[in-house]
């Protein structure tokens, strides 16, 4: 199988909106709509570092796109186009079937057309670049949180880290472990919520490296601080069932959740109910810099580590 055959068989999607020229030339030609700007993001997943060796190929295809779409969600952008650079140790047709199916299913559902890429031989690694559209001036940013804003998160926290443990066989087998594993292997980018937050949230970030780390980025970009009540953090029944003792720490510092954390006026929260995912207020933005964690009685809580560091 040559590179051309590989692309033709697994990676030639139907043409997407705004694609003047897709896969097959030296570069794609893309046409954003008038009045929109493009949000661009890229992320690499390396086997053995970002996902366990031997992970299901469908999960690798899905995750490689999902983690990028999560960055578009955090900007309030609508996915349009993606590029894929795939490094493979060998040409395994069954593996490629699964990978391409996982990627294509999420791409189609998200309105994101694959418009180019590259394949090469080497240790398994996947780099995806996404381009999303957002009305000029309408993008969400990390900067902009205001004193008195409610700090909120979508969904539940800690499931990604719990799911990685499940995938590595570190949790007792059963329905709860399976549910967590699915959260790690097939994360759902919060695209509808990101769009709903345009014009509502004052600042937004996706939770990829752990809440404490990512909230820290949002607060420092905004030049503010916050108090977060750790007993208010939303955790799933599955996480509490199999990681009871660590649920709070995983919710605070575990990575790979791909939920959105945002700041908005407290009274704006009620209008966000239709975004298809639960939203939980976890704290309040304050003028004093830094992130203060307290329990339900207001006592300070400390955490062992501040989140994922890629070079630690
Ligand atoms: Mg991000």
């Amino acid at each position: 199988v040559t590179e051309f055959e590989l692309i033709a068989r697994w990676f030639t999607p139907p043409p997407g909106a705004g694609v003047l020229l897709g896969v097959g030339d030296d570069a794609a030609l893309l046409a954003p709509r008038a009045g929109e700007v493009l949000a661009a993001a890229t992320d690499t997943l390396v086997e053995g570092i970002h996902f366990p060796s031997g992970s299901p190929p469908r999960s690798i295809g899905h995750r490689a796109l999902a983690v990028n779409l999560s960055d578009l969600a955090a900007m309030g952008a609508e996915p349009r186009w993606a590029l894929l650079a795939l490094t493979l140790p060998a040409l395994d047709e069954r593996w490629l079937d699964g990978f391409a199916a996982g990627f294509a299913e999420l791409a189609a559902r998200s309105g994101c057309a694959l418009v180019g890429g590259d394949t090469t031989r080497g240790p398994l690694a996947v780099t995806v670049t996404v381009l999303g559209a957002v009305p000029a001036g309408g993008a969400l940013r990390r900067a902009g949180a205001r004193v008195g804003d409610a700090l909120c998160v979508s969904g539940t926290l800690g499931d990604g880290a719990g799911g990685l443990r499940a995938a590595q066989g570190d949790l007792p087998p059963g329905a709860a472990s399976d549910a967590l594993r699915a959260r790690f292997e097939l994360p759902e980018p919060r695209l509808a919520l990101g769009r709903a937050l345009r014009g509502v949230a004052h600042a937004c970030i996706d939770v990829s490296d752990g809440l404490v780390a990512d909230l820290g980025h949002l607060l420092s970009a905004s030049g503010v601080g916050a108090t977060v009540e750790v007993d208010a953090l939303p955790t799933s029944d599955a996480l509490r069932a199999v990681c009871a003792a660590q649920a709070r720490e995983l919710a605070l510092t575990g990575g790979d959740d791909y939920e959105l954390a945002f700041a908005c006026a407290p009274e704006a929260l009620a209008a966000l109910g239709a975004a298809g995912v639960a939203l939980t207020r976890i704290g309040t933005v304050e003028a004093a810099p830094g992130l203060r964690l307290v329990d339900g009685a207001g006592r300070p809580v400390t955490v062992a580590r501040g989140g994922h560091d890629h070079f630690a």
Side-chain angles (χ1 to χ4, degrees):
V1 181
T2 67
E3 184 175 5
F4 282 124
E5 288 164 346
L6 188 154
I7 290 168
R9 178 162 161 194
W10 282 284
F11 299 111
T12 303
V19 181
L20 306 179
L21 190 62
V23 173
D25 213 304
D26 293 296
L29 296 175
L30 308 170
R33 289 193 286 247
E36 291 181 341
V37 296
L38 292 181
T42 192
D43 220 329
T44 295
L45 302 185
V46 177
E47 183 177 46
I49 295 177
H50 302 100
F51 58 89
S53 296
S55 287
R58 174 168 165 255
S59 155
I60 300 169
H62 177 104
R63 277 190 91 237
L65 181 58
V67 302
N68 280 282
L69 295 181
S70 180
D71 281 326
L72 293 186
M75 303 296 288
E78 194 176 311
R80 286 288 169 76
W81 307 299
L83 297 116
L84 166 67
L86 189 53
T87 305
L88 297 170
L91 210 153
D92 176 338
E93 298 195 6
R94 275 192 58 192
W95 190 94
L96 277 163
D97 284 342
F99 177 90
F103 189 98
E105 186 274 329
L106 180 58
R109 193 153 58 77
S110 309
C112 191
L114 184 65
V115 295
D118 184 39
T119 56
T120 187
R121 187 183 294 270
L124 179 58
V126 189
T127 298
V128 173
T129 301
V130 287
L131 297 167
V134 64
L140 303 171
R141 301 176 60 171
R142 295 176 179 186
R146 304 172 192 173
V147 174
D149 274 354
L151 272 180
C152 308
V153 294
S154 61
T156 53
L157 298 172
D159 293 341
L164 176 58
R165 292 179 179 199
Q168 290 170 327
D170 295 337
L171 296 179
S177 291
D178 291 348
L180 293 176
R181 182 174 179 161
R183 285 290 313 267
F184 176 81
E185 292 186 339
L186 302 168
E188 194 58 41
R190 301 303 184 191
L191 290 160
L193 175 60
R195 285 195 296 273
L197 290 175
R198 281 185 207 152
V200 176
H202 298 146
C204 185
I205 192 168
D206 69 319
V207 182
S208 55
D209 293 343
L211 180 71
V212 168
D214 290 317
L215 217 42
H217 297 318
L218 182 152
L219 295 173
S220 60
S222 296
V224 294
T227 294
V228 163
E229 194 193 310
V230 295
D231 293 334
L233 298 181
T235 54
S236 67
D237 293 343
L239 188 72
R240 281 179 273 108
V242 287
C243 297
Q246 301 95 33
R248 189 161 91 172
E249 191 188 333
L250 294 180
L252 282 167
T253 63
D256 296 312
D257 282 323
Y258 302 105
E259 297 294 348
L260 296 183
F262 59 95
C264 67
E267 62 273 18
L269 252 184
L272 287 169
V277 59
L279 303 176
T280 305
R281 179 173 181 173
I282 60 169
T284 302
V285 176
E286 299 163 344
L291 177 59
R292 290 162 289 282
L293 303 175
V294 298
D295 66 14
R299 290 178 298 238
V301 171
T302 54
V303 288
R305 59 189 183 88
H308 182 70
D309 179 343
H310 298 278
F311 292 99

